[in-house]
Amino acid sequence: MSLSPVMRQFGLAAAMAAVISVGVTNAHATTTLYVGAYGGSFEQMLRKDVIPPFEKSNGDVKVVTVPGDSTTTLAKLEAQKGKAGIDVAFLDDGPMYQAIQLGLCGKLADAPVYKDLYDIARFKGDRAVAVGLIATGIAYNTHLFKQKGWAPPTSWKDLADPKYKGLLVMPSIINTYGLHALLMEARLNGGSETDIDPGFAVMKKSIAPNVLSFDPSPGKIAQMFGDDEIALAVWGNGRVQALRDQGLPVKFVYPKEGAVALGMGVCVVASSAHNTLAQKFVQYILSPHVQAILAQSQGVGPSNRNTKLPPAVAAEVPSPDEISKLVRVNWDVVNPHRNAWTQRWNREIEQ
């Protein structure tokens, strides 16, 4: 039976409506949350162990990682300011405070999990939170120390000991570990974040002569420890654990003056098109279950005090007592000076 022109038009309109309806349903089915995350093992952990359960428990959701270090991710957030793009961003605490100051992070929605966090994990104004706590301290070569008959280091001041001449890795100031060391040397020599001169003075006179390399790349440091080229490195406890997992003879020391807190921060991006879902993702990352995954995979101390860890994992991450003693950096004071300090470092230290 042939259809009249009117019926044919009606049928076409109905078909188009059906297509549009399917398109809307599919669009809903593919709601995508973009997460700016550290690359390497961190991204692999998210994709393998963290994201799949979140997607499954939240229905029609897909989480896509956008890998990059903190500097790269911060630049992406600045470029997209006010527009949809990355919804959730992981940044080290220094760059995270920059992101907050630039208005790139939205306020975290109130949720019960935030009451379970250590105070040091909270960021000013609740615009971000640390999902893991890393300690910056001293890594030492147990094989070389035993061979030399040296006692393990105990203090930031040990970096200036002449017996370590040519045996130290001091990360550049553009790396958070190097900046932490500069700040601690300033504090121990009469200065502070607001008076950095004493830190530069001891770096230039006493520590730089001991430095073999300012390159903090994990592969290079692993090789130098393995070949007994270095005795010490300023490094994070998680990085040290990664070296130990490779079978290298290295241990981490919490200096007696205090290791420095490095918060692995996360925030909901202010321009997120999926704020509610982004808030749920951040809260999920802070759950004890995911916190335990982070600790085992990345060597970070849990931010959630209710996290239970196997004894072998707990022994390799900052304990609650060690977390309570971590030195916190005043990033609101430090960040405005970083460019000037970096230029000074290049002139005076890394010559």
Side-chain angles (χ1 to χ4, degrees):
M1 181 178 66
S2 62
L3 297 175
S4 68
V6 173
M7 289 296 291
R8 284 197 297 268
Q9 286 185 342
F10 177 80
L12 179 61
M16 289 180 66
V19 169
I20 291 172
S21 176
V22 171
V24 170
T25 302
N26 286 341
H28 175 70
T30 56
T31 298
T32 303
L33 192 74
Y34 291 95
V35 176
Y38 309 110
S41 64
F42 187 87
E43 183 189 16
Q44 294 169 15
M45 172 207 65
L46 288 182
R47 288 184 173 184
K48 178 178 180 290
D49 300 318
V50 176
I51 290 174
F54 180 81
E55 291 176 330
K56 184 176 181 179
S57 64
N58 284 279
D60 303 327
V61 170
K62 181 175 178 59
V63 179
V64 175
T65 56
V66 183
D69 59 23
S70 293
T71 302
T72 301
T73 299
L74 179 59
K76 290 176 181 175
L77 296 182
E78 289 187 84
Q80 75 170 47
K81 187 173 183 179
K83 303 175 184 177
I86 294 175
D87 300 289
V88 175
F90 287 91
L91 300 168
D92 289 348
D93 50 8
M96 184 62 81
Y97 269 102
Q98 289 180 295
I100 293 171
Q101 291 170 340
L102 292 168
L104 301 175
C105 294
K107 190 173 180 63
L108 295 173
D110 190 30
V113 71
Y114 295 118
K115 296 180 176 63
D116 298 330
L117 305 185
Y118 293 106
D119 288 341
I120 199 170
R122 305 293 289 265
F123 282 65
K124 184 176 66 176
D126 289 329
R127 296 278 170 175
V129 65
V131 300
L133 298 165
I134 299 166
T136 299
I138 301 172
Y140 75 98
N141 185 329
T142 57
H143 177 260
L144 192 57
F145 267 68
K146 183 177 180 180
Q147 187 181 77
K148 298 282 189 180
W150 294 337
T154 60
S155 166
W156 287 104
K157 294 183 178 181
D158 288 334
L159 301 177
D161 192 322
K163 72 184 178 188
Y164 301 128
K165 184 176 178 63
L167 295 172
L168 169 67
V169 170
M170 169 59 65
S172 172
I173 193 177
I174 62 174
N175 181 282
T176 303
Y177 299 137
L179 178 61
H180 282 173
L182 175 66
L183 292 171
M184 288 305 298
E185 293 299 337
R187 290 187 181 201
L188 296 179
N189 289 278
S192 64
E193 284 96 332
T194 59
D195 180 15
I196 203 66
D197 288 348
F200 271 103
V202 74
M203 278 282 179
K204 182 177 181 178
K205 179 181 178 181
S206 304
I207 296 178
N210 288 346
V211 175
L212 174 65
S213 173
F214 292 98
D215 181 359
S217 61
K220 185 170 183 178
I221 286 184
Q223 180 179 349
M224 288 190 288
F225 270 123
D227 293 340
D228 285 344
E229 289 185 66
I230 56 173
L232 300 173
V234 173
W235 209 229
N237 71 284
R239 293 289 193 183
V240 172
Q241 182 56 38
L243 297 180
R244 288 173 59 82
D245 290 342
Q246 297 174 42
L248 295 173
V250 59
K251 282 190 176 180
F252 181 81
V253 170
Y254 291 83
K256 62 184 180 182
E257 303 89 355
V260 187
L262 195 166
M264 183 184 286
V266 68
C267 80
V268 173
V269 180
S271 59
S272 171
H274 308 292
N275 181 73
T276 300
L277 187 62
Q279 298 280 357
K280 288 182 69 174
F281 186 80
V282 170
Q283 293 162 21
Y284 168 67
I285 293 291
L286 293 168
S287 66
H289 171 69
V290 177
Q291 290 278 287
I293 293 173
L294 281 166
Q296 183 163 3
S297 171
Q298 304 298 307
V300 299
S303 297
N304 189 325
R305 59 169 57 90
N306 294 331
T307 306
K308 305 299 182 185
L309 300 177
V313 177
E316 301 296 346
V317 303
S319 67
D321 181 59
E322 288 161 342
I323 287 173
S324 70
K325 297 175 183 177
L326 292 177
V327 177
R328 194 166 192 172
V329 174
N330 187 339
W331 290 109
D332 286 337
V333 172
V334 170
N335 278 329
H337 298 288
R338 288 199 69 171
N339 287 338
W341 289 355
T342 298
Q343 294 173 15
R344 182 176 177 182
W345 179 281
N346 291 338
R347 290 194 310 269
E348 299 181 13
I349 311 301
E350 266 188 83
Q351 301 178 19

